Every structure is written in C-alpha cells, then in structure tokens.
Amino acid sequence: QVQVVESGGGLVQAGGSLRLSCTASGLTFDYYAMGWFRQAPGKEREGLVCISRSGQISYYTDSVEGRFTISRDNAKNTLYLQMNSLKPEDTAMYYCAAGHFSACSGTWSNWGQGTQVTVSS
C-alpha cells in the first residue's frame, strides 16, 4: 500500500522559513517524479514545483521560484521543500504527490493528506 506523508508545517512570521518533508512508502521512490502543491481556503489547488526522477526541477508558478527549493533524498524516500522569505499569501495546505512518470508531466497518482502552513504578517 502506497503512503505519502507530509510534515513540517506550522506557523511562521512573514520573512521566515520552513522546511517541509514528504516521506513515501510502498513504492520505488526513485522511479517517481515528486511534486509540491498547495491549496488556500476558497482557492483551487495550485502546482508549485516538481522534481523528476533524474533530478530535473520544474516550477509550475513564478510566485515561489527563487524562494522555494525542492530536493529529494532517494535513499530516505523523502522529498523536501525549503521555503524562505515566506509571505502571508503563502498560507495554505501543502501537499506532496508522486507520479509514475519520468519528467514533470503526467497524472499524479498518489497524494498525501497535507500539512498546514500559516504565515502571519
């Protein structure tokens, strides 16, 4: 059974940093592209950034490029999202997803339950 579990969310002041983690089990982690998404109250889910099986990074939105950094540790089956210079508009539930495709384009098959990030002004 595939499980994807996010952690690391919390409350932070504007300008601060957080690092989210996502651990996947029940799959061959290095065969999967991994991505971060978020959904704010009343808004649709937004794709943020993806890292392919080979480590190629693709940002889906300009709003986080330069502030958020994705990385993966295949030995630990773990995905990370380092978030710096956080803004109140970054407040959302953050989700991790796994996709069984090589590049950052395809249907995301496995999703976590999310971790809440709240940025106070």
Side-chain angles (χ1 to χ4, degrees):
Q1 182 181 358
V2 176
Q3 284 194 313
V4 177
V5 180
E6 303 94 337
S7 62
L11 174 64
V12 64
Q13 289 189 329
S17 298
L18 280 175
R19 188 176 81 154
L20 306 184
S21 298
C22 168
T23 301
S25 60
L27 51 76
T28 305
F29 186 76
D30 51 358
Y31 284 7
Y32 284 72
M34 300 295 297
W36 286 102
F37 301 77
R38 69 184 179 189
Q39 187 167 20
K43 295 187 177 181
E44 293 194 353
R45 187 172 61 200
E46 174 186 30
L48 300 180
V49 60
C50 164
I51 185 166
S52 72
R53 298 190 297 200
S54 63
Q56 184 176 7
I57 293 171
S58 300
Y59 283 89
Y60 296 131
T61 176
D62 293 341
S63 65
V64 303
E65 191 168 3
R67 299 188 299 124
F68 291 10
T69 302
I70 191 171
S71 61
R72 64 190 296 163
D73 185 338
N74 290 343
K76 296 182 178 180
N77 281 18
T78 301
L79 177 74
Y80 301 100
L81 184 67
Q82 178 66 44
M83 305 187 295
N84 298 328
S85 303
L86 283 161
K87 305 175 182 180
E89 52 264 42
D90 293 319
T91 295
M93 186 71 78
Y94 282 71
Y95 298 91
C96 166
H100 197 212
F101 38 83
S102 57
C104 287
S105 179
T107 300
W108 298 93
S109 54
N110 302 98
W111 292 83
Q113 294 299 307
T115 186
Q116 177 68 38
V117 172
T118 303
V119 185
S120 63
S121 57

